Amino acid sequence: MKNLSKFISTGITTEGEGGVCISVLKDPKEVLIAPGNSSFLNNLILDIQTMTAQSFGIELENQTDDGVRNHVVNVDALAFIHDNKKVLGFASAKIPKNENVFYLYGVAIAQEFKGKGGARSLVKALLNLGKFSKIVFTSQNPIMFCLLRSLCVDVYPSPDNNGVPDRFSVLGKTLLDNRPGKFNAKTLVINQLYGKCLYKTIPRCRQNNVNIWFDSSLNVQDGITRDAFLFIGEGIK
């Protein structure tokens, strides 16, 4: 991708296996909207639009150019996997002020890079930016629940526990402020959060009990739903 090397130089880059790298940029807006980086940003957005069309991660709520741009530019931290020529995946996060909360805002992995731990590597790279007590995100995807469970000691809600601590009520309402839908603080389910389902069919994970729990909790019918979970993970590994 044009200007990729220039963009990499503005952040922190770590090398992985097979010539693949992860680059992390804190407060990316100033760099991305700089006139000299407009070509890179436009190409990055096009790549991410393609990824989100078939991503197993957190789908963006708006697949338009403006929607993708918001998940890349208007964030507190951005990380992407690349091979110095092509972007293979991205993750972005928001970090609420006065909170040790890591709010995972967007994730997408290129089709050819799925199944290689890209989403987990991206999240871990972003977590290195601070000392966080919680990871949170909204999702309709059982695979993302399994990812969070691999990163945290305790995950709420979960088919493995009996309830949600009352202390999450205020946090949930704060994080979901100005977002649509009806939030249930007892279950961390948001009814009708999205205008339409983010997937053609809700994805499946390898654990059937988790798939069944998603279907029943989110009122999945004919493979789709407008509901979503707010997931909160504690005890980051």
Side-chain angles (χ1 to χ4, degrees):
M1 179 186 292
K2 187 177 181 181
N3 292 334
L4 180 57
S5 59
K6 178 181 177 181
F7 180 74
I8 291 170
S9 67
T10 65
I12 303 169
T13 299
T14 58
E15 294 185 6
E17 298 179 1
V20 174
C21 300
I22 295 180
S23 294
V24 178
L25 185 64
K26 192 174 182 180
D27 300 322
K29 185 172 184 178
E30 183 176 350
V31 174
L32 287 173
I33 65 175
N37 289 333
S38 60
S39 176
F40 172 83
L41 177 58
N42 291 335
N43 288 331
L44 178 63
I45 288 172
L46 287 174
D47 281 352
I48 291 173
Q49 282 179 309
T50 300
M51 292 176 202
T52 56
Q54 48 196 350
S55 174
F56 69 80
I58 300 176
E59 294 280 0
L60 307 192
E61 294 174 45
N62 186 340
Q63 293 284 339
T64 66
D65 178 84
D66 287 341
V68 173
R69 188 179 298 265
N70 183 51
H71 283 75
V72 173
V73 176
N74 296 320
V75 293
D76 297 312
L78 172 69
F80 60 96
I81 296 177
H82 57 91
D83 60 5
N84 290 320
K85 292 182 180 180
K86 183 178 181 180
V87 173
L88 300 169
F90 100 103
S92 62
K94 289 190 174 183
I95 304 171
K97 289 181 173 59
N98 303 320
E99 298 278 356
N100 293 322
V101 174
F102 177 88
Y103 184 11
L104 186 59
Y105 193 51
V107 176
I109 304 294
Q111 182 69 30
E112 66 266 32
F113 202 68
K114 289 183 180 180
K116 298 183 179 180
R120 191 175 193 277
S121 296
L122 285 166
V123 174
K124 292 286 284 185
L126 288 172
L127 286 170
N128 287 333
L129 292 176
K131 295 182 179 180
F132 303 102
S133 62
K134 298 178 182 64
I135 300 174
V136 300
F137 57 79
T138 58
S139 183
Q140 299 179 316
N141 192 333
I143 297 172
M144 289 304 299
F145 165 78
C146 293
L147 170 63
L148 184 61
R149 194 156 59 177
S150 76
L151 292 167
C152 297
V153 175
D154 297 307
V155 174
Y156 301 94
S158 169
D160 301 327
N161 58 45
N162 296 320
V164 175
D166 291 338
R167 56 193 166 85
F168 290 150
S169 177
V170 174
L171 175 62
K173 291 176 181 177
T174 299
L175 292 172
L176 296 169
D177 187 37
N178 295 321
R179 294 189 67 179
K182 183 177 180 181
F183 175 58
N184 185 328
K186 298 294 184 182
T187 63
L188 301 188
V189 171
I190 312 106
N191 295 119
Q192 299 188 352
L193 175 64
Y194 303 119
K196 63 178 182 179
C197 187
L198 299 181
Y199 302 88
K200 292 181 180 179
T201 302
I202 296 297
R204 306 283 88 178
C205 70
R206 295 178 181 178
Q207 301 176 35
N208 197 44
N209 69 310
V210 174
N211 295 328
I212 293 171
W213 174 62
F214 263 73
D215 288 348
S216 61
S217 299
L218 299 186
N219 192 32
V220 177
Q221 298 181 11
D222 297 323
I224 61 175
T225 182
R226 292 176 57 193
D227 300 347
F229 283 112
L230 171 68
F231 283 115
I232 301 175
E234 290 189 312
I236 300 172
K237 299 176 183 177

